[in-house]
Structure formats: C-alpha cells, structure tokens
Amino acid sequence: GESVGLHLPTLSVQEGDNSIINCAYSNSASDYFIWYKQESGKGPQFIIDIRSNMDKRQGQRVTVLLNKTVKHLSLQIAATQPGDSAVYFCAEKGWGSQGNLIFGKGTKLSVKP
Amino acid sequence: EPEVTQTPSHQVTQMGQEVILRCVPISNHLYFYWYRQILGQKVEFLVSFYNNEISEKSEIFDDQFSVERPDGSNFTLKIRSTKLEDSAMYFCASSGGQRNQPQHFGDGTRLSIL
C-alpha cells in the first residue's frame, strides 16, 4: 500500500556557507531544548542543548538561539560541511516531565560540495 | 566515547508474536527511555524508566508494552501480541542522573511485523 509520511522541509546550502535551521515548539512551559542530527539508518545524535533560562548557547561550529516570546528555536551551523548533511530535529521537554522529549518534524539539510 | 548499543539491528516477527528489544545504556546513566519512529515520521516518546520503575509513559505505551532492567547493564522493551502497526524503528536512550541532561540514543532496532 501507499506509505504516507511527513514532507520534510529541506535546506540546501553550499559547502562553506552558514546554515540556519528553524523550529517552532509547542509548549510555553517547556524548560529544556535539544537539537539532534539524524543520519540515514542511525539514531538521533546529540548536537547541543539549551535551558529555558538562556537565550543563546554556543558549541563547536554550532549555536542555538531560543526565543521564548514566539516559541522559536534555531540552530546555526558555521562553515557547513558535506558531513553535516542529515535530518535535524529539535526536541523540547516540558517542565516537570521526567524526560519525555517531544520531537519536531525535522529539517533535511543537504550540503553541496 | 561511551554509547548506547541496541540489539538486534533488525527484527522480523510474525504478527501476534512477542518480541523483546534489547539495549545497553551508557554505564553511569540513571535514566532510560524508549522511543519509536514510524517510517518517515517524527520520533515519538514511549516510556522513561528510573530507579527500577516507570517514571513516565505516553498513550502509545499501553498494556501491550513492558520494560525491564533485568540486570545492571541491560534495558529491554517487550511487545506482546505484535500488530502490523508496531512496525517502526525503536530507539533506546539514556541520560545522566541530573535534571535536564541530554539523552543519548542508540542506532535503533528496525522492527518489521509480517
């Protein structure tokens, strides 16, 4: 039978450019947010996290921005490389939750060499 | 770097049969989780486990499902009387002992129900 799945937003960038992946989260009471990278056939790989008492956090080549006013999260990848090609998910955890992560739909990042 | 390992990587089972998916979380982690991802869809939370008991579960995690930590290293998900719609990738994850720490995922078990 026909399979129905989510149509993933796709971001295509040139190698060396910066990438910005956006995510709208659902729960204003969420207090913890994570970005994951998922390559084909693999599990979600942790990239960076941020707590709700912060609005920016930087890692190696990655920056996460949190705007609680509009419930928006973004992931910035500097100097994007072909190895960054993957599906990127944001995930939120509600305040008081023991760890139930609510995942977003994902964005497929394609890096052109 | 320590990682979560899952076995088998692919499980094929007849509808109605029971299946056990196995996970070895990161050794010093205290929180354990199961998620599933139906092909082409979002990752969905099933259950979290701490201190030898379920701490939170989703609506998906009904009486058909159970989890167990049979020893100091393994964490299992049992699915009884499997249905076609149970076909999915099942991911195990673990996190450290403090609040708001990242969950680290295994590479999953692909469960195919025939």
Side-chain angles (χ1 to χ4, degrees):
Chain A
E2 182 182 7
S3 66
V4 177
L6 289 172
H7 173 68
L8 284 180
T10 300
L11 175 65
S12 185
V13 301
Q14 204 69 38
E15 181 179 359
D17 287 352
N18 296 334
S19 303
I20 300 176
I21 300 171
N22 296 302
C23 176
Y25 64 91
S26 58
N27 186 353
S28 57
S30 293
D31 65 349
Y32 181 59
F33 305 87
I34 306 180
W35 279 100
Y36 285 97
K37 170 187 180 184
Q38 188 176 26
E39 296 172 292
S40 181
K42 298 236 170 192
Q45 178 188 351
F46 169 76
I47 302 173
I48 191 167
D49 59 357
I50 188 167
R51 291 167 176 74
S52 59
N53 61 351
M54 304 170 69
D55 53 21
K56 180 179 180 179
R57 190 160 188 233
Q58 289 185 288
Q60 186 179 15
R61 278 201 311 121
V62 294
T63 300
V64 56
L65 298 178
L66 174 62
N67 185 331
K68 293 182 288 292
T69 302
V70 294
K71 292 191 288 186
H72 184 267
L73 199 65
S74 68
L75 177 70
Q76 300 175 2
I77 305 173
T80 316
Q81 302 166 0
D84 294 329
S85 295
V87 177
Y88 288 80
F89 293 95
C90 66
E92 61 181 299
K93 185 186 76 64
W95 187 90
S97 168
Q98 197 65 30
N100 173 358
L101 288 180
I102 302 167
F103 279 76
K105 294 180 183 178
T107 296
K108 184 175 181 179
L109 175 66
S110 296
V111 182
K112 295 175 286 189
Chain B
E1 184 174 324
E3 58 183 24
V4 176
T5 56
Q6 292 186 243
T7 55
S9 57
H10 191 190
Q11 174 77 44
V12 182
T13 300
Q14 289 288 330
M15 186 171 60
Q17 296 296 305
E18 175 181 288
V19 64
I20 297 175
L21 310 182
R22 302 180 190 278
C23 169
V24 178
I26 294 172
S27 64
N28 62 346
H29 282 182
L30 300 180
Y31 290 89
F32 314 115
Y33 314 86
W34 284 100
Y35 291 80
R36 79 172 185 191
Q37 186 177 30
I38 294 171
L39 184 64
Q41 301 198 17
K42 293 192 281 186
V43 177
E44 301 174 289
F45 170 79
L46 294 178
V47 66
S48 61
F49 191 87
Y50 172 73
N51 199 26
N52 282 321
E53 62 183 21
I54 290 173
S55 50
E56 193 171 351
K57 61 182 181 179
S58 71
E59 292 177 352
I60 303 168
F61 194 89
D62 59 20
D63 292 343
Q64 186 193 3
F65 295 86
S66 61
V67 290
E68 190 178 28
R69 187 152 165 83
D71 54 42
S73 60
N74 290 283
F75 180 51
T76 63
L77 175 69
K78 182 188 292 185
I79 309 174
R80 288 179 283 275
S81 190
T82 48
K83 305 186 286 272
L84 293 176
E85 53 265 40
D86 294 328
S87 295
M89 284 291 289
Y90 287 81
F91 293 108
C92 173
S94 68
S95 64
Q98 295 184 16
R99 184 175 171 73
N100 291 342
Q101 289 194 314
Q103 295 179 25
H104 295 271
F105 284 73
D107 282 338
T109 293
R110 179 175 299 283
L111 178 62
S112 299
I113 306 300
L114 304 179

